[in-house]
């Protein structure tokens, strides 16, 4: 696991010293500490840690307000609450504020280290998925098309998609669940879908419904195969796909909804095809 | 597709919407639809996979989408649906589907949910995976959301 940089937030100098010692003795790098809201904002902005240990009760503020301040600076920083207070209501509030874990004082060194390892290994797993998934889905689209039609796709354009894009014709949406949720969307024009269906069925499609069914099955094969390849690389992903939903229309404006996805547009003998895929870093949770 | 699979969504609306400051949450019509139907405005689809497999398509007409997004973003009104307002609606559908999944879990039906996909447009034809789709209409203050629920047999 990479070097994990940690900030310790607590209004007690003794607690900061005890927690910092535990962390450093276990190979973690304590890059700063804070005892109130303004100090939290300063130290997080300066150090950009991977993880924060957060006390719950502090003069003039609390751990939840400080957690929100941390995530306002960087949503990806993980927060583990370390507090003497612990009940169902506080845990529920902590979850709503995107706290990754909760551990009660007095801190057991083994529990704290195990929790940090769980939270950070999930983070690392997501980074591996992020590095791999787009190529795997592009390969699955290429292989799926080749198996069904003995033709090829040549990718011409690829980009990180952070803003709205427009799809014309048919868009097939498949949801993905697992350790990290995601989605895949394949979009093609109606004329491309018609020719592709004719080739797959080796006859003219009898109805628009038959085209939609063929395209749904095609997208289902692509997403299913891609998730299988990723699951073989690491079973911990546990990816599974939802049944396809198909949208047909002109000028369908598709939003990324606050998390980046990747798009590739390829040329085939049937026309252009667009594939868009994304996974979201889930709320990693580790509760004692 | 069983009508008992609709009640977790009603429960989700009754829990989530008041927490977001909406006052009046009423159930409208519940009807069955064929697998293909049309919708205009904002359509958000969330996949659900586990002991059941399916999708939920939330359809907001444009005016309802603007009013609900404005209330979530705590602004008086929204002239045009921006990325920010659609993100708010995406987050809403995520919360609703997650709460529905929790209600299914209480019925011993365990499922996880995908990320939402958000499409805006007019006269979009939507084809779900099951032959019959339950459409639950929910009235939220003076707005309406159609919740189209499709689970495979």
């Amino acid at each position: 696991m990479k070097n994990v940089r940690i900030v310790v937030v607590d209004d007690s100098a003794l607690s900061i010293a005890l927690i910092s010692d535990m962390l450093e003795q276990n190979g973690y790098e304590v890059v700063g500490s804070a005892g109130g809201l303004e100090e939290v904002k300063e130290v997080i902005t300066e150090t950009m840690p991977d993880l924060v240990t957060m006390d719950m009760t502090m003069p003039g503020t609390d751990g939840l307000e400080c957690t929100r301040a941390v995530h306002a600076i960087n949503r990806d920083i993980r927060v583990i609450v370390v507090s003497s207070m612990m009940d169902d209501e506080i845990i529920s509030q902590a979850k709503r504020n995107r706290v990754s874990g909760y551990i009660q004082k007095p801190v057991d060194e083994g529990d704290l280290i195990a929790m940090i390892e769980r939270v950070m290994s999930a983070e690392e797993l997501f980074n591996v998925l992020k590095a791999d998934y787009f190529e795997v889905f592009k390969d699955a689209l290429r292989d799926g098309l080749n198996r069904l039609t003995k033709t090829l796709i040549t990718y011409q354009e690829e980009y990180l998609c952070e803003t709205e894009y427009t799809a014309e014709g048919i868009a097939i949406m498949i949801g993905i669940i697992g350790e990290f949720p995601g989605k895949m969307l394949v979009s093609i024009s109606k004329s491309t879908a018609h020719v592709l269906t004719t080739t797959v069925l080796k006859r003219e499609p009898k109805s628009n419904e038959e085209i939609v069914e063929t395209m749904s099955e095609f997208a289902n094969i692509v997403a299913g195969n891609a998730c299988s390849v990723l699951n073989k690389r690491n079973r911990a992903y546990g990816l599974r796909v939802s049944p396809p939903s198909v949208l047909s229309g002109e000028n369908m404006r598709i939003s990324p909804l606050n998390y980046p996805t990747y798009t590739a547009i390829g040329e085939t003998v049937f026309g252009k095809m667009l594939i868009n895929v994304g996974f979201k870093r889930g709320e990693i949770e580790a509760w004692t | 597709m069983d009508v008992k699979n609709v009640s977790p969504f009603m429960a989700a609306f009754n829990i989530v919407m008041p927490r977001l400051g909406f006052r009046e949450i009423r159930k409208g019509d519940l009807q069955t639809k064929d697998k293909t139907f049309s919708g205009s405005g904002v359509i958000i689809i969330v996949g659900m996979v586990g002991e059941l497999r399916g999708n939920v398509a939330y359809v907001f007409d444009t005016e309802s989408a603007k009013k609900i997004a404005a209330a979530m973003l705590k602004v008086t009104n929204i002239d045009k649906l921006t990325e920010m307002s659609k993100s708010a609606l995406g987050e809403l559908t995520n919360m609703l589907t997650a709460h529905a999944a929790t209600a299914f879990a209480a019925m011993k039906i365990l499922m996880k949910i995908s990320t939402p996909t958000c499409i805006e447009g007019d006269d979009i034809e939507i084809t779900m995976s099951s032959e019959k789709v339950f459409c639950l209409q929910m009235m939220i203050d003076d707005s309406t959301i159609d919740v189209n629920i499709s689970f495979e047999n």
Side-chain angles (χ1 to χ4, degrees), chain A residues 77-96:
Chain A
I77 296 172
R78 298 293 167 188
V79 176
I80 292 176
V81 168
V82 180
S83 172
S84 49
M85 291 166 59
M86 188 171 181
D87 60 44
D88 288 349
E89 178 55 27
I90 291 175
I91 288 179
S92 171
Q93 284 181 7
K95 285 184 178 183
R96 286 204 292 274

Side-chain angles (χ1 to χ4, degrees), chain A residues 164 173 175-178 181-183 240-248 251-259 280, chain B residues 45 47 49-50 53-55 83 86-87 90 112-121 123-127 129 152:
Chain A
E164 181 179 280
M173 193 289 296
I176 303 168
I177 63 102
K183 65 182 176 193
R240 293 170 68 191
V241 296
S242 75
S245 299
V246 183
L247 297 120
S248 312
N251 194 25
M252 296 185 286
R253 299 178 296 284
I254 300 169
S255 301
L257 294 181
N258 263 354
Y259 73 99
K280 193 170 182 179
Chain B
I45 300 177
V49 182
R53 283 180 84 234
N55 290 295
E83 281 293 309
K86 284 187 262 188
S87 284
K112 285 188 170 182
I113 69 171
S114 76
T115 55
T117 301
C118 174
I119 303 106
E120 187 190 2
D123 300 319
I124 296 176
E125 199 170 82
I126 306 155
T127 303
S129 57
E152 290 183 343

Side-chain angles (χ1 to χ4, degrees), chain B residues 52-67:
Chain B
L52 290 173
R53 283 180 84 234
N55 290 295
V56 190
Y58 298 86
V59 180
F60 304 74
D61 64 78
T62 303
E63 282 312 304
S64 292
K66 286 179 185 171
K67 284 179 191 164

Side-chain angles (χ1 to χ4, degrees), chain A residues 225-269:
Chain A
N225 287 350
C227 289
S228 294
V229 169
L230 289 166
N231 287 339
K232 273 183 201 153
R233 290 187 186 179
N234 195 329
R235 285 173 54 195
Y237 294 139
L239 302 176
R240 293 170 68 191
V241 296
S242 75
S245 299
V246 183
L247 297 120
S248 312
E250 315 271 311
N251 194 25
M252 296 185 286
R253 299 178 296 284
I254 300 169
S255 301
L257 294 181
N258 263 354
Y259 73 99
T261 56
Y262 288 91
T263 292
I265 299 171
E267 191 66 61
T268 73
V269 292

Side-chain angles (χ1 to χ4, degrees), chain A residues 166-171 187-190 247-252 254:
Chain A
T166 300
E168 304 278 351
I170 294 179
S187 172
I188 52 176
S189 72
K190 285 186 177 169
L247 297 120
S248 312
E250 315 271 311
N251 194 25
M252 296 185 286
I254 300 169

Side-chain angles (χ1 to χ4, degrees), chain A residues 50-64:
Chain A
D50 303 298
L51 187 140
V52 175
T53 69
M54 180 72 72
D55 189 14
M56 212 51 173
T57 49
M58 286 172 276
T61 185
D62 63 35
L64 299 179

Side-chain angles (χ1 to χ4, degrees), chain B residues 63-122:
Chain B
E63 282 312 304
S64 292
K66 286 179 185 171
K67 284 179 191 164
I68 291 172
M72 290 184 70
L73 296 171
K74 303 197 188 312
V75 295
T76 45
N77 62 54
I78 285 175
D79 294 332
K80 189 174 178 295
L81 286 166
T82 58
E83 281 293 309
M84 175 77 89
S85 38
K86 284 187 262 188
S87 284
L89 297 174
E91 188 53 35
L92 172 65
T93 58
N94 189 48
M95 284 188 276
L96 289 168
T97 317
H99 275 81
T102 305
F104 274 111
M107 295 157 59
K108 313 277 183 222
I109 299 169
L110 301 179
M111 283 187 283
K112 285 188 170 182
I113 69 171
S114 76
T115 55
T117 301
C118 174
I119 303 106
E120 187 190 2
D122 294 323

